[in-house]
mmCIF file of all heavy atoms in Angstrom:
data_model
loop_
_atom_site.group_PDB
_atom_site.id
_atom_site.type_symbol
_atom_site.label_atom_id
_atom_site.label_comp_id
_atom_site.label_asym_id
_atom_site.label_seq_id
_atom_site.Cartn_x
_atom_site.Cartn_y
_atom_site.Cartn_z
ATOM 1 N N ASP A 389 81.121 192.625 208.478
ATOM 2 C CA ASP A 389 81.414 194.018 208.170
ATOM 3 C C ASP A 389 81.743 194.195 206.694
ATOM 4 O O ASP A 389 81.319 195.166 206.061
ATOM 5 C CB ASP A 389 82.585 194.495 209.038
ATOM 6 C CG ASP A 389 82.807 195.998 208.940
ATOM 7 O OD1 ASP A 389 81.875 196.760 209.275
ATOM 8 O OD2 ASP A 389 83.912 196.409 208.536
ATOM 9 N N LEU A 390 82.474 193.245 206.132
ATOM 10 C CA LEU A 390 82.806 193.295 204.703
ATOM 11 C C LEU A 390 81.535 193.306 203.859
ATOM 12 O O LEU A 390 81.388 194.122 202.932
ATOM 13 C CB LEU A 390 83.691 192.094 204.349
ATOM 14 C CG LEU A 390 84.405 192.035 202.999
ATOM 15 C CD1 LEU A 390 85.466 190.935 203.031
ATOM 16 C CD2 LEU A 390 83.474 191.803 201.838
ATOM 17 N N MET A 391 80.624 192.409 204.171
ATOM 18 C CA MET A 391 79.404 192.272 203.364
ATOM 19 C C MET A 391 78.456 193.458 203.563
ATOM 20 O O MET A 391 77.902 193.989 202.587
ATOM 21 C CB MET A 391 78.690 190.969 203.714
ATOM 22 C CG MET A 391 79.541 189.721 203.545
ATOM 23 S SD MET A 391 80.176 189.478 201.879
ATOM 24 C CE MET A 391 78.789 188.653 201.107
ATOM 25 N N ASP A 392 78.267 193.888 204.811
ATOM 26 C CA ASP A 392 77.274 194.922 205.106
ATOM 27 C C ASP A 392 77.793 196.335 204.848
ATOM 28 O O ASP A 392 77.061 197.183 204.342
ATOM 29 C CB ASP A 392 76.829 194.823 206.570
ATOM 30 C CG ASP A 392 75.979 193.596 206.849
ATOM 31 O OD1 ASP A 392 75.509 192.972 205.882
ATOM 32 O OD2 ASP A 392 75.792 193.263 208.034
ATOM 33 N N HIS A 393 79.037 196.586 205.225
ATOM 34 C CA HIS A 393 79.560 197.951 205.179
ATOM 35 C C HIS A 393 80.182 198.285 203.826
ATOM 36 O O HIS A 393 80.219 199.461 203.444
ATOM 37 C CB HIS A 393 80.596 198.132 206.290
ATOM 38 C CG HIS A 393 80.888 199.560 206.622
ATOM 39 N ND1 HIS A 393 80.062 200.327 207.417
ATOM 40 C CD2 HIS A 393 81.918 200.378 206.262
ATOM 41 C CE1 HIS A 393 80.579 201.538 207.548
ATOM 42 N NE2 HIS A 393 81.698 201.597 206.856
ATOM 43 N N PHE A 394 80.658 197.260 203.112
ATOM 44 C CA PHE A 394 81.370 197.512 201.861
ATOM 45 C C PHE A 394 80.646 196.919 200.648
ATOM 46 O O PHE A 394 80.230 197.638 199.744
ATOM 47 C CB PHE A 394 82.797 196.948 201.943
ATOM 48 C CG PHE A 394 83.673 197.684 202.917
ATOM 49 C CD1 PHE A 394 83.710 197.307 204.247
ATOM 50 C CD2 PHE A 394 84.440 198.763 202.510
ATOM 51 C CE1 PHE A 394 84.510 197.985 205.159
ATOM 52 C CE2 PHE A 394 85.241 199.450 203.413
ATOM 53 C CZ PHE A 394 85.273 199.069 204.737
ATOM 54 N N MET A 395 80.490 195.589 200.615
ATOM 55 C CA MET A 395 80.019 194.970 199.382
ATOM 56 C C MET A 395 78.611 195.397 198.997
ATOM 57 O O MET A 395 78.345 195.748 197.853
ATOM 58 C CB MET A 395 80.088 193.444 199.479
ATOM 59 C CG MET A 395 79.647 192.782 198.170
ATOM 60 S SD MET A 395 79.786 190.993 198.206
ATOM 61 C CE MET A 395 79.065 190.585 196.600
ATOM 62 N N ARG A 396 77.666 195.331 199.959
ATOM 63 C CA ARG A 396 76.271 195.583 199.594
ATOM 64 C C ARG A 396 76.048 197.009 199.062
ATOM 65 O O ARG A 396 75.452 197.174 197.991
ATOM 66 C CB ARG A 396 75.342 195.281 200.770
ATOM 67 C CG ARG A 396 73.858 195.384 200.383
ATOM 68 C CD ARG A 396 72.944 195.044 201.537
ATOM 69 N NE ARG A 396 72.974 193.627 201.859
ATOM 70 C CZ ARG A 396 73.560 193.104 202.929
ATOM 71 N NH1 ARG A 396 74.190 193.892 203.792
ATOM 72 N NH2 ARG A 396 73.533 191.804 203.144
ATOM 73 N N PRO A 397 76.500 198.071 199.753
ATOM 74 C CA PRO A 397 76.268 199.406 199.191
ATOM 75 C C PRO A 397 77.018 199.644 197.882
ATOM 76 O O PRO A 397 76.512 200.350 197.000
ATOM 77 C CB PRO A 397 76.747 200.349 200.300
ATOM 78 C CG PRO A 397 77.613 199.534 201.178
ATOM 79 C CD PRO A 397 77.086 198.138 201.108
ATOM 80 N N ILE A 398 78.208 199.068 197.733
ATOM 81 C CA ILE A 398 78.932 199.210 196.466
ATOM 82 C C ILE A 398 78.167 198.517 195.348
ATOM 83 O O ILE A 398 78.033 199.048 194.233
ATOM 84 C CB ILE A 398 80.357 198.644 196.600
ATOM 85 C CG1 ILE A 398 81.198 199.551 197.509
ATOM 86 C CG2 ILE A 398 81.016 198.505 195.229
ATOM 87 C CD1 ILE A 398 82.548 198.959 197.883
ATOM 88 N N ALA A 399 77.638 197.322 195.624
ATOM 89 C CA ALA A 399 76.852 196.609 194.620
ATOM 90 C C ALA A 399 75.622 197.406 194.212
ATOM 91 O O ALA A 399 75.284 197.515 193.027
ATOM 92 C CB ALA A 399 76.445 195.238 195.155
ATOM 93 N N ARG A 400 74.926 198.000 195.180
ATOM 94 C CA ARG A 400 73.737 198.805 194.876
ATOM 95 C C ARG A 400 74.091 200.039 194.058
ATOM 96 O O ARG A 400 73.304 200.482 193.213
ATOM 97 C CB ARG A 400 73.067 199.229 196.178
ATOM 98 C CG ARG A 400 72.425 198.108 196.960
ATOM 99 C CD ARG A 400 71.938 198.587 198.317
ATOM 100 N NE ARG A 400 71.182 197.561 199.032
ATOM 101 C CZ ARG A 400 70.664 197.732 200.241
ATOM 102 N NH1 ARG A 400 70.845 198.880 200.885
ATOM 103 N NH2 ARG A 400 69.980 196.759 200.819
ATOM 104 N N LEU A 401 75.277 200.585 194.306
ATOM 105 C CA LEU A 401 75.709 201.777 193.591
ATOM 106 C C LEU A 401 76.037 201.463 192.138
ATOM 107 O O LEU A 401 75.632 202.196 191.221
ATOM 108 C CB LEU A 401 76.939 202.364 194.300
ATOM 109 C CG LEU A 401 77.604 203.596 193.695
ATOM 110 C CD1 LEU A 401 76.637 204.767 193.636
ATOM 111 C CD2 LEU A 401 78.849 203.957 194.511
ATOM 112 N N LEU A 402 76.750 200.377 191.898
ATOM 113 C CA LEU A 402 77.177 200.022 190.544
ATOM 114 C C LEU A 402 76.083 199.311 189.755
ATOM 115 O O LEU A 402 76.037 199.411 188.520
ATOM 116 C CB LEU A 402 78.418 199.137 190.609
ATOM 117 C CG LEU A 402 79.664 199.756 191.248
ATOM 118 C CD1 LEU A 402 80.779 198.721 191.342
ATOM 119 C CD2 LEU A 402 80.141 200.966 190.454
ATOM 120 N N PHE A 403 75.212 198.580 190.460
ATOM 121 C CA PHE A 403 74.166 197.782 189.816
ATOM 122 C C PHE A 403 72.834 198.086 190.500
ATOM 123 O O PHE A 403 72.399 197.343 191.398
ATOM 124 C CB PHE A 403 74.490 196.291 189.918
ATOM 125 C CG PHE A 403 75.862 195.922 189.417
ATOM 126 C CD1 PHE A 403 76.874 195.616 190.311
ATOM 127 C CD2 PHE A 403 76.138 195.891 188.063
ATOM 128 C CE1 PHE A 403 78.143 195.285 189.870
ATOM 129 C CE2 PHE A 403 77.399 195.551 187.602
ATOM 130 C CZ PHE A 403 78.409 195.258 188.500
ATOM 131 N N PRO A 404 72.156 199.153 190.125
ATOM 132 C CA PRO A 404 70.929 199.573 190.831
ATOM 133 C C PRO A 404 69.848 198.504 190.903
ATOM 134 O O PRO A 404 69.037 198.523 191.838
ATOM 135 C CB PRO A 404 70.464 200.787 190.017
ATOM 136 C CG PRO A 404 71.703 201.315 189.363
ATOM 137 C CD PRO A 404 72.530 200.109 189.059
ATOM 138 N N ASP A 405 69.848 197.561 189.950
ATOM 139 C CA ASP A 405 68.776 196.565 189.935
ATOM 140 C C ASP A 405 68.907 195.521 191.040
ATOM 141 O O ASP A 405 67.981 194.736 191.265
ATOM 142 C CB ASP A 405 68.716 195.864 188.582
ATOM 143 C CG ASP A 405 69.991 195.109 188.235
ATOM 144 O OD1 ASP A 405 71.076 195.528 188.684
ATOM 145 O OD2 ASP A 405 69.908 194.098 187.515
ATOM 146 N N VAL A 406 70.045 195.475 191.769
ATOM 147 C CA VAL A 406 70.178 194.450 192.800
ATOM 148 C C VAL A 406 69.481 194.838 194.098
ATOM 149 O O VAL A 406 69.310 193.983 194.977
ATOM 150 C CB VAL A 406 71.666 194.122 193.102
ATOM 151 C CG1 VAL A 406 72.410 193.773 191.834
ATOM 152 C CG2 VAL A 406 72.356 195.242 193.860
ATOM 153 N N TYR A 407 69.066 196.094 194.222
ATOM 154 C CA TYR A 407 68.406 196.532 195.454
ATOM 155 C C TYR A 407 67.138 195.706 195.673
ATOM 156 O O TYR A 407 66.286 195.564 194.788
ATOM 157 C CB TYR A 407 68.050 198.014 195.360
ATOM 158 C CG TYR A 407 67.358 198.552 196.595
ATOM 159 C CD1 TYR A 407 68.043 198.659 197.789
ATOM 160 C CD2 TYR A 407 66.022 198.941 196.556
ATOM 161 C CE1 TYR A 407 67.417 199.145 198.936
ATOM 162 C CE2 TYR A 407 65.387 199.438 197.691
ATOM 163 C CZ TYR A 407 66.088 199.532 198.878
ATOM 164 O OH TYR A 407 65.475 200.010 200.005
ATOM 165 N N GLY A 408 67.018 195.132 196.857
ATOM 166 C CA GLY A 408 65.903 194.238 197.168
ATOM 167 C C GLY A 408 66.206 192.784 196.874
ATOM 168 O O GLY A 408 65.441 191.896 197.261
ATOM 169 N N TYR A 409 67.328 192.537 196.203
ATOM 170 C CA TYR A 409 67.768 191.175 195.896
ATOM 171 C C TYR A 409 69.162 190.946 196.482
ATOM 172 O O TYR A 409 70.005 190.289 195.875
ATOM 173 C CB TYR A 409 67.807 190.946 194.384
ATOM 174 C CG TYR A 409 66.471 191.084 193.704
ATOM 175 C CD1 TYR A 409 66.022 192.326 193.245
ATOM 176 C CD2 TYR A 409 65.641 189.977 193.510
ATOM 177 C CE1 TYR A 409 64.791 192.468 192.625
ATOM 178 C CE2 TYR A 409 64.405 190.113 192.885
ATOM 179 C CZ TYR A 409 63.994 191.357 192.451
ATOM 180 O OH TYR A 409 62.774 191.487 191.827
#
Side-chain angles (χ1 to χ4, degrees):
D389 189 60
L390 192 166
M391 303 301 275
D392 290 346
H393 198 79
F394 292 88
M395 182 177 175
R396 186 178 289 107
I398 290 171
R400 291 173 174 179
L401 178 60
L402 298 175
F403 307 105
D405 61 330
V406 307
Y407 180 68
Y409 298 88

